C-alpha cells in the first residue's frame, strides 16, 4: 500500500485528535466473555469494569452506583434502599501499561465487594469521577442485576408474519414465573428485547398475547419482528509484527502503530456468507503478553468502506467498542477522490467485531445497519430478553429475568 503525505499527516494527528479521557471501557460478567453484563442478585457472580486513561501518572478516581429502571432513568430510591455500604468508593486497583508506545493507566472495578453491595434488582449505572470534583462524571458503565425468579423460553425463526426466509426474524416468547407471583401480567409486566446488545434495537412489550396456565405467552406481535441484519465484520490487531485478520498493512508512524484494514464494501446486494462472530463484542489481547490489559498497545485503526456516498445520511462504524454511539469518534468522512468512507480510530490491540450503520439526517434519525450490511435471514443474531415486574403501588421495577438467546 502507498501512503500519501496527507494520509500520513492525518495518521500522526489521530491520537491527539481523539478527546475521550477514558478509553476501552469494558463491562462484563466475570469469567464469561460472551454473557450480557448481568448477574444474579445474591449470588457469587460479579461484574468486572475495566478502562484506561492515557496518562503518565494515575488519577485519584472514585465511583458510585445509580439504581435505574428499564429505561435507564434513576429510580428515585434512597441509596440506603438499594445499597449495603457507602455509595462512594475509591478505585484502588490500577496499574501502569507495560512496554507500550502509548502510555496509559489501566483501572479495574469489581462488584459487588465488601464496600458496595447492591440489594435490589434492576439496571445500574456506575459513574466515575475525580475525588476533588465529584459533580463531574468523566465516564460511566452500565450493568444489570436480575432476580432470575422467572424462566424464559424463546424461539427465533425466519418464518415470520412478514414472510418466510426473507429479511426478517421473529421471536415467540414464553415467560414462566417460578419464585414470584404475578397477579396481573397484563398491567404489571414489561418485556424488553434487544438485538446484539445495540440499545437502539430495543423493543418493548407491555401486554402478553395470552395465558397458558401460569405461563405468559408473547407471539405474533409486530414488536417481535426484527430486521435480520448480517453477521458482524471482524479484524484482529493482536500482533504488530504481522498483518492479522482483515489487516491489509501495519506500520509504525512517529508515536504508535497504525493498521490499515482491508477495504470493505457494501453487502446488501451480496449473498449471505456465514462467519462465526462475537455479536459485536471486542476482546483486548496482545499475543505475547501475560496481562493484555497492561501489555496491549493502542493502534490507530484505519477503516475504509468503498461505496457511493449515502443520500441524506451519515455513516458510522459501530460495535461494543464504540458503545453503539454515533458521535464524532465513530463518524466516517467521505473522500470523493477515493470514492470511499474513511475513519481513523485508536483502539487497543485485540479482536474486534464491527459493522457500518447509516443514520438519516432527517426524520427520526434511527440508525440502520441494513442499508449497508443488508438483511439476511440466515444471520445468527443474539437476542437479550429482560422481564420487568412492577406491582401496583411499588416504587421501582424489579428485573425478574434476564436471558440471552
Amino acid at each position: 500500500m502507498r501512503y500519501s503525505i496527507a494520509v500520513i499527516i492525518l495518521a500522526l494527528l489521530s491520537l491527539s485528535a481523539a478527546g475521550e479521557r477514558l478509553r476501552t471501557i469494558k463491562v462484563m460478567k466475570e469469567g464469561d466473555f460472551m454473557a450480557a453484563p448481568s448477574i444474579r442478585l445474591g449470588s457469587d457472580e460479579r461484574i468486572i469494569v475495566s478502562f484506561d486513561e492515557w496518562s503518565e501518572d494515575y488519577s485519584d478516581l472514585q465511583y458510585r452506583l445509580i439504581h435505574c429502571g428499564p429505561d435507564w432513568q434513576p429510580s428515585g430510591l434512597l441509596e440506603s434502599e438499594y445499597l449495603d455500604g457507602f455509595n462512594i468508593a475509591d478505585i484502588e486497583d490500577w496499574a501502569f501499561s507495560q512496554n507500550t508506545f502509548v502510555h496509559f493507566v489501566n483501572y479495574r472495578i469489581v462488584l459487588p465487594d465488601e464496600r458496595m453491595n447492591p440489594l435490589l434488582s434492576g439496571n445500574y449505572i456506575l459513574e466515575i469521577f475525580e475525588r476533588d470534583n465529584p459533580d463531574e462524571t468523566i465516564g460511566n458503565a452500565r450493568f444489570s442485576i436480575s432476580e432470575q425468579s422467572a424462566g424464559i423460553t424463546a424461539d427465533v425463526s425466519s418464518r415470520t408474519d412478514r414472510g418466510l426466509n426473507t429479511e426478517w426474524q421473529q421471536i415467540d416468547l414464553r415467560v414462566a414465573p417460578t419464585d414470584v407471583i404475578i397477579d396481573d401480567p397484563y398491567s404489571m409486566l414489561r418485556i424488553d428485547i434487544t438485538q446484539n446488545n445495540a440499545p437502539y434495537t430495543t423493543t418493548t412489550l407491555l401486554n402478553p398475547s395470552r395465558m397458558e396456565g401460569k405461563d405468559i405467552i408473547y407471539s405474533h406481535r409486530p414488536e417481535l419482528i426484527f430486521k435480520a441484519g448480517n453477521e458482524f465484520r471482524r479484524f484482529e490487531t493482536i500482533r504488530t509484527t504481522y498483518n492479522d485478520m482483515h489487516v491489509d498493512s501495519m506500520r509504525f508512524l512517529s508515536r504508535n502503530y497504525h493498521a490499515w484494514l482491508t477495504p470493505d464494501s457494501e453487502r446488501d446486494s451480496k449473498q449471505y456468507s456465514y462467519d462465526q462472530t462475537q455479536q459485536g463484542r471486542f476482546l483486548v489481547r496482545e499475543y505475547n503478553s501475560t496481562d493484555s490489559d497492561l501489555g496491549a498497545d493502542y493502534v490507530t485503526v484505519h477503516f475504509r468502506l468503498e461505496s457511493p456516498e449515502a443520500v441524506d445520511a451519515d455513516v458510522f462504524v459501530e460495535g461494543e467498542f464504540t458503545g453503539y454511539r454515533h458521535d464524532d469518534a465513530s463518524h466516517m468522512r467521505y473522500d470523493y477522490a477515493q470514492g470511499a468512507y474513511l475513519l481513523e480510530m485508536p483502539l487497543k490491540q485485540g479482536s474486534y467485531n464491527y459493522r457500518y450503520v447509516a443514520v438519516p439526517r432527517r426524520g427520526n434519525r434511527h440508525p440502520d445497519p441494513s442499508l449497508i450490511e443488508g438483511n439476511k435471514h440466515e444471520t445468527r443474531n443474539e437476542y437479550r430478553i429482560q422481564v420487568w415486574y412492577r406491582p401496583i403501588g411499588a416504587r421501582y421495577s424489579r428485573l425478574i429475568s434476564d436471558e440471552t438467546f
Side-chain angles (χ1 to χ4, degrees), residues 171 193 201 203-207 220-226:
I171 300 175
I193 306 175
T201 68
T203 186
T204 298
L205 297 95
L206 299 178
N207 297 297
H220 297 286
R221 302 280 292 276
E223 301 95 327
L224 293 172
I225 302 176
F226 290 78

Side-chain angles (χ1 to χ4, degrees), residues 362-405:
R362 303 175 184 176
N364 62 11
R365 292 184 54 80
H366 188 76
D368 191 354
S370 65
L371 295 177
I372 299 171
E373 306 292 359
N375 287 308
K376 315 298 180 183
H377 69 86
E378 304 97 331
T379 302
R380 298 174 311 109
N381 288 303
E382 192 175 82
Y383 293 92
R384 182 181 179 185
I385 301 174
Q386 294 182 304
V387 181
W388 297 87
Y389 172 51
R390 184 161 186 163
I392 296 175
R395 297 176 53 229
Y396 75 100
S397 296
R398 295 164 54 185
L399 180 56
I400 62 172
S401 192
D402 191 349
E403 299 283 354
T404 300
F405 298 88

Side-chain angles (χ1 to χ4, degrees), residues 260-278:
W260 280 262
L261 301 187
T262 303
D264 292 314
S265 60
E266 63 83 22
R267 298 189 293 176
D268 181 37
S269 60
K270 299 177 182 178
Q271 294 293 320
Y272 169 77
S273 178
Y274 170 78
D275 191 15
Q276 185 173 356
T277 72
Q278 289 76 49

Side-chain angles (χ1 to χ4, degrees), residues 83-138:
L83 275 183
D84 178 17
F86 294 103
N87 196 16
I88 291 184
D90 296 330
I91 303 180
E92 299 175 337
D93 188 350
W94 56 267
F96 294 112
S97 60
Q98 300 173 354
N99 302 316
T100 59
F101 289 101
V102 178
H103 298 288
F104 61 86
V105 183
N106 177 257
Y107 299 84
R108 189 170 183 266
I109 301 169
V110 179
L111 286 169
D113 64 10
E114 65 279 359
R115 300 174 300 172
M116 194 176 292
N117 182 28
L119 299 173
L120 302 179
S121 63
N123 286 331
Y124 283 84
I125 298 178
L126 183 149
E127 294 185 335
I128 303 163
F129 53 92
E130 291 183 315
R131 177 190 296 272
D132 295 336
N133 193 8
D135 295 329
E136 182 178 343
T137 300
I138 62 173

Side-chain angles (χ1 to χ4, degrees), residues 214-250:
K214 292 184 179 180
D215 289 359
I216 307 161
I217 311 300
Y218 299 82
S219 64
H220 297 286
R221 302 280 292 276
E223 301 95 327
L224 293 172
I225 302 176
F226 290 78
K227 288 184 177 181
N230 207 337
E231 305 291 352
F232 280 85
R233 305 174 193 251
R234 295 189 293 156
F235 73 88
E236 289 188 347
T237 54
I238 63 176
R239 287 169 287 222
T240 56
T241 57
Y242 178 83
N243 294 340
D244 281 314
M245 178 194 304
H246 203 58
V247 174
D248 184 64
S249 62
M250 180 82 71

Side-chain angles (χ1 to χ4, degrees), residues 115-168:
R115 300 174 300 172
M116 194 176 292
N117 182 28
L119 299 173
L120 302 179
S121 63
N123 286 331
Y124 283 84
I125 298 178
L126 183 149
E127 294 185 335
I128 303 163
F129 53 92
E130 291 183 315
R131 177 190 296 272
D132 295 336
N133 193 8
D135 295 329
E136 182 178 343
T137 300
I138 62 173
N140 64 72
R142 297 183 175 192
F143 64 93
S144 302
I145 298 180
S146 171
E147 299 175 17
Q148 296 302 94
S149 54
I152 301 176
T153 304
D155 177 59
V156 181
S157 174
S158 60
R159 183 183 298 273
T160 77
D161 295 338
R162 295 188 181 182
L164 173 63
N165 293 343
T166 56
E167 59 184 291
W168 307 97

Side-chain angles (χ1 to χ4, degrees), residues 24 26 33 52 233-240 242-247 250 259 261 278 281-289 292-293 295-301 303 321 346-354:
T24 317
K26 180 72 173 179
F33 164 71
D52 297 334
R233 305 174 193 251
R234 295 189 293 156
F235 73 88
E236 289 188 347
T237 54
I238 63 176
R239 287 169 287 222
T240 56
Y242 178 83
N243 294 340
D244 281 314
M245 178 194 304
H246 203 58
V247 174
M250 180 82 71
L261 301 187
Q278 289 76 49
R281 296 176 175 86
F282 75 91
L283 178 66
V284 170
R285 184 184 170 206
E286 202 281 332
Y287 85 106
N288 200 33
S289 177
S292 290
D293 283 340
D297 211 336
Y298 276 86
V299 173
T300 299
V301 177
F303 296 88
F321 66 99
L347 295 172
K348 204 169 184 178
Q349 284 181 271
S351 302
Y352 287 82
N353 281 195
Y354 71 102

